[in-house]
Structure formats: structure tokens, C-alpha cells
Amino acid sequence: MTRDPRLDAAYDAARMYYGEGRTMESIAEDLTVSRSTVSRLLNRAREAGLVQISLRPPGAHRVEELRRRLAQRYGVQAHVVPVGTGDGERERLQAVAEAGARQLDEMLEPGMTVGMAWGTTINAMVSNLRSRPVPGLRIVQLNGAINTEGSGHTYVSTVLARAAALWDATVHHFPVPAFFDYAATREAMWRERSVQRVLDTQRQCTLAVFSVGAFDAAVPSHVYTNNYLTGADLHSLRSDGAVGDVCTVFLRADGTWQGIRMNAHGSGPDPAQLARLPRRLLVAAGTRKALPLRAALRAGVATDLVVDEVTAASMLSLS
């Protein structure tokens, strides 16, 4: 094959400019051409694919190091979202919601069953999903949502309906309380065929999507601010060492959940049940979620994580 002398000249100019760091004037003198000719040679090198330029935004190394540490310590596929130094909690939540929506979109496959929890973060993420039909997709609600006022079911139904409309999916609702007044009532409801049907659909999930809840998050977690829990419930949780929840199942800082009395009243899958699902996407933002996020990762609830860099750094710095 005949070599193109123009490309050879373009390569030589690019090698000297990008590889050796020489000025255009120096290259022009060496090649006995004008400075403008050197500029044209460099443009030709880029257009011909002889030169590839990549940009790394400020902080990219820091974000990559956080991602590596999360993957190494917790065995998750971590996606750390860079944020501006002046960004507040709501701006960081929005950035994570957008990144979480993109990650979820990449994970969707025709015919799959997706389990979705509910809350402030998941609501924000659903608001950022793109519209694309996914044939045969089913969405199943992972935990009950009815509160003492009965309004929770409407809130969650709206979020799931929005996702279903974007994906042209069907929805399987879970019309039970988020927390039962009596553990015995929950046990009786779990024997009902209509409830068992939803629980069976949950077990068929190949992907679960959820966040973590914190008692004192700067952007309030929905379950702690909408009459789901009484003062006595909160006292019981703190007495049992709970630091937050995943799918309305409460966790201690070490990731354990057994023996927390409120969990006998909850409606969501516990970490052992979640761990049976192949893919589990956890989306979290907010410095005060660092402790419950660490508890969730210690419990092994996630295979994939989307988190902002401030929250990731805060969590990794916990003793």
C-alpha cells in the first residue's frame, strides 16, 4: 500500500507538538515550513485519527480513587458522581438522581421484573428517567406505603405509574401498610393469597432499585417525615441501635437487622431477601446518609451503587 506523504508529515508534526511539547515555531523551523502550515498539519493529524485527545475534569482522580476504594471494601460496582464545591444537599441529590437514572436505564432489559422501593431519592431519580419502551417489563413495589393517614399509597402509586408510563411497563402494587401496628397482623396478611402473589413477583425480580433512609437527613427521608413512625417507634428504633433503613427494614451501624423490634412490623424485604436478587442498585446522596449507607453496604444489599463524592468520602472516613 502506498504511503501518503501528507499523513507522514502530519504525524511528524503531531509527534513533535504533542509528544515532545515543542512550539509551532520550533516545528516550522525544523520542517522548513510556515507556522500556519504546522497548524494545518496538526488539524490533519486530528482529523485522520493520528491524535486522540482526552480531557479529565478537575477532581477526576479523586472520584476514581473513591470508586476504587468503595469497590475494594464493599464489593460493589460503584459510580461516584462529582459535585461542585459549592453544591448543597439538594444539588447533590439532583446530580445523583440524574446519574442513577442513567445507570438504571443501562441495566434494563426486555422481559425483566424490576423491584422498586419508594422515597425522596427514588422519586427524584424517576423524574430524570428517559422515555423508552422496554418490551415485557414489569415493575413491582418492594415495600408497603400506606401510612396512618392513608396517603402514602397515592404517593407511591404516582411514582411507579410515572416509571411505567416511560417504559410502557406493567405495575404490581403492594397495597399494605409500610408498618403494621401489630406484628401478628403482618403475619396474617402474609398468608393472604393476594399478598403472596405480590411477594412471589418480588422474588422473581432480577433487578431491585432503592435508596437508604436516615433519621436526620438534610433533604428529609420520606418515611421519617410523613406520619409513618410515632415517637414511640423512633424511641424503640434508637434503643435497638438502628441508624437508618433500606426498604423500611432498619439496620444497625454494623449492618445487622435481626432483633430490631420495628422490623417485625415492616413490609419490605430484609437484606438476606434482597441478596437473592441478581442485581441491586442503591442510589444515595447526602452527608447524613453516610452512616446508614455504610450499614447498608455492610449488610450486602447492593451490587451497584450511585453516590455523590461528598457522601462517599464521608462514609469512607467513618471509623
Side-chain angles (χ1 to χ4, degrees), residues 108-116 134-141 160 163-164 167-173 197-209:
L108 295 178
E109 296 178 0
M112 72 169 15
T113 299
V114 179
M116 295 188 72
V134 183
L137 187 71
R138 298 191 300 174
I139 302 171
V140 60
Q141 182 180 330
L160 298 185
W167 296 330
D168 195 20
T170 58
V171 178
H172 297 258
H173 293 289
R197 189 177 301 114
V198 178
L199 295 173
D200 183 60
T201 305
Q202 291 177 1
R203 286 189 287 269
Q204 296 172 34
C205 288
T206 52
L207 170 63
V209 187

Side-chain angles (χ1 to χ4, degrees), residues 41-91:
L41 288 171
L42 293 175
N43 285 333
R44 183 176 298 157
R46 289 193 295 269
E47 292 170 357
L50 303 179
V51 175
Q52 293 183 349
I53 299 174
S54 62
L55 298 176
R56 290 176 63 86
H61 176 74
R62 180 177 64 251
V63 167
E64 175 58 26
E65 176 62 15
L66 289 170
R67 186 207 63 76
R68 185 193 64 78
R69 290 174 62 191
L70 288 168
Q72 185 178 55
R73 185 173 300 183
Y74 299 107
V76 294
Q77 181 68 40
H79 308 267
V80 180
V81 181
V83 292
T85 55
D87 288 349
E89 296 277 348
R90 293 191 180 277
E91 288 79 12

Side-chain angles (χ1 to χ4, degrees), residues 49-199:
L50 303 179
V51 175
Q52 293 183 349
I53 299 174
S54 62
L55 298 176
R56 290 176 63 86
H61 176 74
R62 180 177 64 251
V63 167
E64 175 58 26
E65 176 62 15
L66 289 170
R67 186 207 63 76
R68 185 193 64 78
R69 290 174 62 191
L70 288 168
Q72 185 178 55
R73 185 173 300 183
Y74 299 107
V76 294
Q77 181 68 40
H79 308 267
V80 180
V81 181
V83 292
T85 55
D87 288 349
E89 296 277 348
R90 293 191 180 277
E91 288 79 12
R92 284 158 51 199
L93 171 61
Q94 179 60 26
V96 167
E98 292 173 1
R102 291 192 297 271
Q103 181 60 29
L104 175 56
D105 185 77
E106 293 178 5
M107 299 170 80
L108 295 178
E109 296 178 0
M112 72 169 15
T113 299
V114 179
M116 295 188 72
W118 50 267
T120 304
T121 303
I122 299 303
N123 186 22
M125 187 190 69
V126 169
S127 297
N128 284 277
L129 291 171
R130 72 182 180 108
S131 177
R132 74 171 180 103
V134 183
L137 187 71
R138 298 191 300 174
I139 302 171
V140 60
Q141 182 180 330
L142 284 178
N143 50 321
I146 299 172
N147 58 14
T148 55
E149 298 172 349
S151 59
H153 182 62
T154 301
Y155 167 80
V156 175
S157 296
T158 302
V159 175
L160 298 185
R162 190 184 312 141
L166 292 168
W167 296 330
D168 195 20
T170 58
V171 178
H172 297 258
H173 293 289
F174 198 20
V176 299
F179 303 102
F180 290 86
D181 290 335
Y182 304 98
T185 306
R186 176 187 179 276
E187 293 176 6
M189 284 290 294
W190 260 226
R191 292 194 294 268
E192 291 291 327
R193 284 180 297 170
S194 59
V195 172
Q196 288 183 359
R197 189 177 301 114
V198 178
L199 295 173

